[in-house]
Amino acid sequence: MQKRFIRKSLNNAMIYALAAIVAAMCMLLGISIGSLSIPFSTIIEIFLSHWFGVSPSHPIPDDLVQIVMAIRLPRVVLAFFVGASLSLAGAAFQGMLKNPLADPYTLGVSSGASVGAVLVLFFHWQWAYLGAFTLPTASIIFGLATLFLVLYFAKMADRRMSMETIILTGIIFSSFFSALISLMIALTGEELRQIIGWLLGSVAMRGWNYTLMIVPFFLVGSLLLFMNYRELNAFTFGEEAAAHIGVDVAKRKLVILTSASLLTGAAVAVSGTIGFVGLVVPHMIRLVTGPNHRFLLPLSLLYGGAFLVLADLAARTIISPRELPIGVITSLIGAPLFAFLFIKRTKRKT
């Protein structure tokens, strides 16, 4: 029995270690490859010198240090956080709704966040003391406001707040906000390129401040989901089954929905709308490791972050020196991949 436990623990440790190594290698690739290729050894020496005061084996030009520390590293770290947030949120929504087609944008929070960002671009808002950070701040505020509105109207329609009611309410708000965005696009002039560019998603030229903006939302949202992985496992059997085994369905549902929506809203606020990350990555991991959220959540975090780092790398190198919106890359990769997985899953059932 003890040997079996040790063997299982070692296997789990190897799974996590492999995911961490893949994520770290993807981040190193994202920093290394670009218009100027930088060897891994030079990147590591820059890190050691900058963070730990270790003298490099040979002099490193200051402009190279600037490229790594001020341009590529914050971009790669931001891409990782955005991908990890969307993937975690997708895993939570899929588990809670018992639907592998659910994604982080199910409740309409992303549409609300997008409305906030588009309003800033459309009206050229500059809030006091925020300056350039007016856009992500407005986006986060509108995203959270949308979550509360969805839950409020869902409770008005159904005091039990069944998942079907919440989803339908989210669809209603998402459709309404999409219409508002379309209206502003139709009325816009020179801001059109900015609005479309933001809606297609990007992590370019954001800097450390945007990364620091998403971190608190990421930490709170991911920690709450990790603390509720047992409840997510119970929800995969349905709300009634979860209630029978002692889960406070209403409370845990609210916590999980809020946590996943926090992750989604913050990700959309700093990068725009990026599709398929939260849909495909958790689904692929679930096919390999099974539906246990104890493994699914941390692996979704690591592989989701790694996936978006690679997608961003492709977006800025495919037609270099021009860049593609990262949302275009994730859709081009994610849509065919998800279609393949969906067909395979459907055939297996029949």
Side-chain angles (χ1 to χ4, degrees):
M1 186 74 178
Q2 189 175 3
K3 287 183 179 179
R4 185 180 176 184
F5 175 76
I6 293 172
R7 193 182 303 116
K8 187 177 180 181
S9 299
L10 286 173
N11 287 338
N12 294 341
M14 287 178 64
I15 290 171
Y16 292 134
L18 176 62
I21 290 169
V22 169
M25 289 302 297
C26 289
M27 294 181 79
L28 277 174
L29 276 174
I31 298 169
S32 173
I33 300 174
S35 55
L36 173 66
S37 294
I38 305 172
F40 283 5
S41 58
T42 303
I43 296 170
I44 293 169
E45 285 192 338
I46 290 173
F47 289 165
L48 292 174
S49 173
H50 192 82
W51 290 328
F52 303 105
V54 178
S55 299
S57 59
H58 58 280
I60 300 175
D62 289 340
D63 58 344
L64 204 60
V65 176
Q66 280 294 107
I67 289 172
V68 171
M69 300 303 299
I71 299 175
R72 292 191 186 174
L73 181 60
R75 177 171 183 159
V76 165
V77 173
L78 180 61
F80 181 85
F81 275 123
V82 170
S85 297
L86 293 175
S87 188
L88 263 177
F93 277 121
Q94 288 171 10
M96 190 157 188
L97 303 178
K98 301 184 296 177
N99 186 351
L101 293 175
D103 72 356
Y105 306 134
T106 299
L107 292 189
V109 174
S110 65
S111 297
S114 297
V115 166
V118 172
L119 282 171
V120 171
L121 294 172
F122 185 79
F123 291 109
H124 304 284
W125 284 348
Q126 286 286 324
W127 291 348
Y129 306 110
L130 289 175
F133 298 104
T134 299
L135 188 147
T137 305
S139 186
I140 289 172
I141 291 170
F142 273 76
L144 293 177
T146 301
L147 170 64
F148 292 129
L149 283 172
V150 167
L151 295 177
Y152 175 74
F153 277 91
K155 192 169 185 178
M156 283 181 61
D158 178 7
R159 295 195 66 83
R160 294 183 301 108
M161 289 181 69
S162 65
M163 289 311 305
E164 291 80 6
T165 304
I166 294 173
I167 292 170
L168 286 173
T169 308
I171 291 171
I172 291 168
F173 274 87
S174 183
S175 301
F176 177 72
F177 289 142
S178 296
L180 280 181
I181 292 170
S182 298
L183 176 63
M184 283 185 279
I185 289 174
L187 296 175
T188 194
E190 60 186 26
E191 303 89 0
L192 179 62
R193 187 178 181 87
Q194 276 184 297
I195 292 173
I196 297 298
W198 190 88
L199 289 173
L200 290 174
S202 175
V203 291
M205 304 306 292
R206 298 294 200 262
W208 283 113
N209 288 324
Y210 273 67
T211 306
L212 294 174
M213 185 173 285
I214 194 177
V215 167
F217 295 96
F218 174 79
L219 291 177
V220 171
S222 57
L223 183 61
L224 286 173
L225 288 181
F226 289 150
M227 289 170 62
N228 287 276
Y229 80 86
R230 290 187 181 89
E231 286 75 12
L232 273 169
N233 286 340
F235 276 121
T236 57
F237 298 102
E239 293 183 26
E240 290 185 8
H244 281 308
I245 61 175
V247 175
D248 187 341
V249 171
K251 181 181 177 181
R252 295 300 173 179
K253 191 194 307 183
L254 184 62
V255 170
I256 292 167
L257 290 175
T258 303
S259 305
S261 297
L262 272 178
L263 292 168
T264 305
V268 171
V270 298
S271 65
T273 307
I274 299 174
F276 283 98
V277 179
L279 186 64
V280 173
V281 175
H283 191 68
M284 290 182 66
I285 295 169
R286 190 180 284 106
L287 291 176
V288 176
T289 65
N292 190 343
H293 288 82
R294 181 183 176 185
F295 305 108
L296 182 61
L297 292 177
L299 291 177
S300 294
L301 186 157
L302 291 168
Y303 283 118
F307 173 75
L308 200 65
V309 169
L310 292 180
D312 179 55
L313 177 61
R316 59 186 167 87
T317 55
I318 287 178
I319 57 171
S320 181
R322 295 181 63 189
E323 289 191 16
L324 290 171
I326 193 171
V328 172
I329 299 297
T330 57
S331 297
L332 287 174
I333 297 171
L337 184 59
F338 189 74
F340 170 75
L341 293 172
F342 183 67
I343 291 170
K344 190 175 180 181
R345 179 188 175 91
T346 306
K347 283 185 176 180
R348 191 185 301 164
K349 284 184 176 180
T350 57

